[in-house]
Amino acid sequence: MKFLASAMALLGALSLTSGAPINTTNELPNGLPFPSASELAVIEQNAHGTLPNGPPPPVISNKGINNLRLIAFNELFEVAYFNELITNITEGKDGYRFTDSGDRDDALRSLKAILAQEELHAISANDALVHFHVHPIQPCEYTFPVQDFDSAIRLASTFTDVVLGTLQDAIERFVLGHDADLAREIAAVIGNEGEQQGWFRVLQAKIPSALPFLTTADLNYAFNAVKSFTVPGSCPNIEEIPLRTFESLEILEAPGAKTENITFTFNDPEDQAGHGLWMTYINQLNLPIVEPLKVISREGDSVTAQALFPYDDHELNGLTIASVTTSDGPFSDANEVVKWTLAGPGLISVN
Ligand SMILES: *[C@@H]1O[C@H](CO)[C@@H](O)[C@H](O)[C@H]1NC(C)=O
Ligand SMILES: *[C@@H]1O[C@H](CO)[C@@H](O)[C@H](O)[C@H]1NC(C)=O
Ligand SMILES: *[C@@H]1O[C@H](CO)[C@@H](O)[C@H](O)[C@H]1NC(C)=O
């Protein structure tokens, strides 16, 4: 039984490789996505540590392969982001100059380690894909909606929160696919990302640890969040990642630490608003919260609507993932919300 499952997994993997040469169109620092041995040695020095050097697991499930693809897709984006942030600080661009050179040096020291650690996360996921005879994921071109150091750290904090939730989903999927060894590696990465997040939070004058149980997410939300930073058409093999693309959702004004109505816009090309839509929130490890959605206006496919953000009743601190859903649930977890998501994720951070 076990052998059959392995053979099936391997066959599934092999059928995905076409033998065509891989085009690397978008270059990243230090030879990524495919560094040479000497480039890897430099990355490991900068990362203050190495890739795991034990043997990779002999088999992987299809669920496991999709985890690795999404993780590589996300980590390559993070590499591009932190590399550009370091460049902006190093070149002293407007908005990236520090009054205290000690603060600047501290920030660069931390960011250079973070960049190299993200590089190793990306390499590890892609190496595993290659080991299982699956195309590695290639980097895209990216655009980032930040203009200064403070907004760059805020965005880093938000996407790291999404990663911290998504890796919970990855571990569960590895467990369901019997990919135990890979589950352990992801747990090691979650700790690393959590350490980064503690620093991003302190830089924003927040307490380092946001929540007792960090908000969970789903691979599909991370896929859409990262995709929103890519230049359309620039991702060489994004179509090999079998995850759903949702309509866009934008929270127009970030809510504070209180119950209030929030206004947002989303794309609704099939006029599903006419049949009833809801705003659904995922926060911590709690059951998703569903609120009625009130349409304010429509312009073409773009709908502006309002819904309650029920902070007081649910202690909605840290990351909240908002989705416009075509069902009012009740939803048992984040994966269930995904099934009914029209638009999302909207990312809300409180405290
Ligand atoms: C790789 O790049 C070459 C030259 O730009 C192009 O002709 C070819 O179609 C590309 N292959 C793939 C698989 O994208
Ligand atoms: C780097 O600076 C440019 C402006 O010079 C800005 O457009 C870009 O978003 C910045 N990137 C990061 C990651 O801070
Ligand atoms: C939110 O809006 C609804 C009507 O759309 C209103 O009844 C309710 O009082 C508002 N709640 C708050 C907290 O402002």
Side-chain angles (χ1 to χ4, degrees), residues 301-323:
D301 291 345
S302 175
V303 172
T304 301
Q306 274 190 347
L308 195 68
F309 178 68
Y311 175 87
D312 294 324
D313 286 349
H314 302 277
E315 195 80 22
L316 294 179
N317 288 315
L319 175 69
T320 296
I321 296 176
S323 314

Side-chain angles (χ1 to χ4, degrees), residues 120-348:
L120 292 186
H121 296 166
I123 293 165
S124 174
N126 264 341
D127 277 359
L129 287 171
V130 170
H131 168 77
F132 294 115
H133 309 285
V134 180
H135 286 156
I137 296 302
Q138 307 236 24
C140 313
E141 277 175 60
Y142 307 93
T143 55
F144 307 121
V146 295
Q147 291 308 323
D148 54 34
F149 182 72
D150 290 347
S151 63
I153 293 298
R154 257 199 316 279
L155 181 60
S157 183
T158 302
F159 69 66
T160 300
D161 261 343
V162 174
V163 173
L164 285 164
T166 304
L167 293 181
Q168 298 172 28
D169 191 38
I171 288 193
E172 189 166 293
R173 290 172 191 241
F174 277 137
V175 167
L176 292 171
H178 305 288
D179 302 318
D181 295 342
L182 294 162
R184 181 180 293 264
E185 186 173 328
I186 300 307
V189 171
I190 291 180
N192 168 274
E193 303 274 349
E195 290 180 328
Q196 296 181 25
Q197 182 69 305
W199 180 60
F200 299 147
R201 289 178 53 83
V202 168
L203 285 176
Q204 298 172 83
K206 295 178 173 180
I207 58 168
S209 57
L211 292 166
F213 299 95
L214 294 182
T215 296
T216 200
D218 176 287
L219 298 192
N220 288 280
Y221 288 127
F223 180 64
N224 282 269
V226 172
K227 209 172 160 183
S228 74
F229 302 122
T230 64
V231 175
S234 73
C235 302
N237 64 347
I238 193 173
E239 71 289 342
E240 292 177 22
I241 307 172
L243 294 169
R244 282 181 54 204
T245 294
F246 304 127
E247 300 296 339
S248 61
L249 167 62
E250 192 189 350
I251 311 290
L252 293 180
E253 212 171 308
K258 62 172 200 270
T259 292
E260 59 184 308
N261 284 314
I262 61 169
T263 308
F264 46 92
T265 60
F266 60 96
N267 212 38
D268 179 25
E270 289 169 22
D271 194 8
Q272 304 217 56
H275 305 103
L277 290 172
W278 289 264
M279 188 61 151
T280 300
Y281 300 106
I282 298 162
N283 178 263
Q284 304 180 58
L285 293 187
N286 293 327
L287 294 171
I289 301 160
V290 183
E291 292 290 342
L293 171 161
K294 189 174 139 198
V295 173
I296 307 285
S297 65
R298 167 184 276 276
E299 248 179 79
D301 291 345
S302 175
V303 172
T304 301
Q306 274 190 347
L308 195 68
F309 178 68
Y311 175 87
D312 294 324
D313 286 349
H314 302 277
E315 195 80 22
L316 294 179
N317 288 315
L319 175 69
T320 296
I321 296 176
S323 314
V324 173
T325 54
T326 55
S327 160
D328 63 350
F331 301 112
S332 54
D333 56 27
N335 307 123
E336 281 302 308
V337 181
V338 159
K339 291 182 188 158
W340 300 94
T341 292
L342 167 68
L347 304 175
I348 296 170

